[in-house]
Amino acid sequence: MEFRPCIDIHNGKVKQIVGGSLRDQGDEARENFVSKQDAAFYARFYRESGMRGGHVILLNKEGSEHYEATREQALLALQAWPGGLQVGGGIRTDNAEAYLEAGASHVIVTSYVFRDGKIDWERLRELTRAIGRERLVLDLSCRRKDDAYYIVTDRWQRFTDVMLSPAVFDNLAAYCAEFLIHAADVEGLSRGIERPLVKMLGDWEGIPVTYAGGIGTYEDLRELKELGRGRLNVTVGSALDLFGGPLNYKEIVKFVAQ
């Protein structure tokens, strides 16, 4: 189990938001925290503490009036910690290499390969051929529906027909190095993890998986470690003191490493 930091960027600002509140219409989101620091500040902080594998997420849709400011912040972060951060948000075959050249260790992809509600295997194979399986992270962020978890796209706003299961993990793992999974229904709420999802992820033995969503206390972390059988990496956002929350960064890193 490893701690994986995050830098979420919305409307050109580093923020922590309630995941289920994000809307493309008007670039709206319910905010938990808006930083006065830029994305490079956080990237340097993670670099100085030796924390690799964090993700930089662009939360604006390409074409939004705020997209370029958000993209600029993402590039500043990658330049500040070259090779130390992953980047996601609007990644496609035609721009993935540019983000890698800008300093990303991996690119994170969802909507491009989960389109029209299904897995686009041809796009996935194309992307893997273009940049290599070892530099691709698939974002399988999900929401609950009918007592199951379905992958959601377009900044967690649109359900696909793809239900998370060990078989889906097995099939997709052949094309990427890691999975990143936000439990979008609890993202930013700090009210506890999605237990059935965490248990399913912990029972699966495959490539590295990073879980995010709902962590607000050290008890949540203990539960994540237990249900996830110590196999899941973890991201803490709104509850982290770096983003105005109650949990101390150094203490979390230490706890996760135990």
Side-chain angles (χ1 to χ4, degrees):
M1 188 176 187
E2 298 177 2
F3 179 73
R4 298 292 184 87
C6 63
I7 304 173
D8 295 342
I9 308 169
H10 182 246
N11 294 355
K13 301 285 187 181
V14 175
K15 294 183 183 180
Q16 285 296 312
I17 67 167
V18 176
S21 73
L22 191 59
R23 298 289 180 271
D24 286 338
Q25 184 69 33
D27 293 308
E28 295 178 353
R30 186 171 141 207
E31 299 167 345
N32 288 331
F33 176 82
V34 181
S35 180
K36 295 179 181 178
Q37 305 290 345
D38 66 5
F41 169 87
Y42 292 96
R44 287 192 296 269
F45 178 87
Y46 298 143
R47 180 176 186 173
E48 288 164 6
S49 61
M51 193 58 58
R52 289 181 171 273
H55 48 271
V56 179
I57 304 295
L58 291 77
L59 291 173
N60 289 100
K61 181 180 180 180
E62 193 167 357
S64 154
E65 65 174 304
H66 300 287
Y67 176 77
E68 286 304 323
T70 291
R71 184 173 177 274
E72 181 181 343
Q73 284 295 309
L75 292 174
L76 287 174
L78 299 180
Q79 291 161 11
W81 191 190
L85 296 166
Q86 305 170 359
V87 66
I91 306 295
R92 309 179 301 269
T93 301
D94 64 350
N95 66 9
E97 188 61 43
Y99 280 106
L100 294 171
E101 290 175 356
S105 64
H106 301 69
V107 291
I108 305 166
V109 178
T110 311
S111 301
Y112 183 72
V113 297
F114 297 96
R115 64 169 180 158
D116 299 326
K118 305 183 184 309
I119 302 171
D120 188 324
W121 292 103
E122 183 52 38
R123 280 191 172 186
L124 182 54
R125 285 189 284 267
E126 262 180 22
L127 190 55
T128 303
R129 284 195 298 268
I131 64 171
R133 170 182 179 269
E134 70 282 356
R135 303 194 78 178
L136 176 62
V137 175
L138 285 180
D139 184 340
L140 309 186
S141 293
C142 59
R143 302 184 79 164
R144 194 164 185 168
K145 182 173 69 171
D146 300 328
D147 293 324
Y149 293 94
Y150 288 82
I151 294 173
V152 288
T153 64
D154 302 296
R155 291 150 303 284
W156 310 322
Q157 297 171 61
R158 183 174 301 175
F159 276 91
T160 70
D161 297 332
V162 184
M163 183 180 73
L164 292 185
S165 68
V168 167
F169 299 147
D170 288 340
N171 290 334
L172 293 174
Y175 296 92
C176 63
E178 299 181 22
F179 294 140
L180 170 63
I181 302 180
H182 291 82
D185 289 324
V186 298
E187 176 73 15
L189 295 178
S190 302
R191 295 177 187 165
I193 62 175
E194 284 276 11
R195 294 173 184 84
L197 174 63
V198 168
K199 187 176 186 311
M200 176 170 59
L201 296 174
D203 287 344
W204 182 70
E205 299 182 43
I207 61 175
V209 178
T210 296
Y211 170 87
I215 294 169
T217 66
Y218 292 105
E219 183 57 38
D220 292 331
L221 283 172
R222 275 190 285 273
E223 193 170 24
L224 178 71
K225 185 176 284 192
E226 180 181 341
L227 290 176
R229 302 174 66 178
R231 292 177 176 151
L232 305 182
N233 300 325
V234 60
T235 292
V236 180
S238 296
L240 197 63
D241 60 356
L242 295 179
F243 304 119
L247 301 185
N248 179 263
Y249 173 81
K250 290 182 179 178
E251 289 300 315
I252 286 182
V253 171
K254 184 186 201 178
F255 180 90
V256 169
Q258 291 174 347

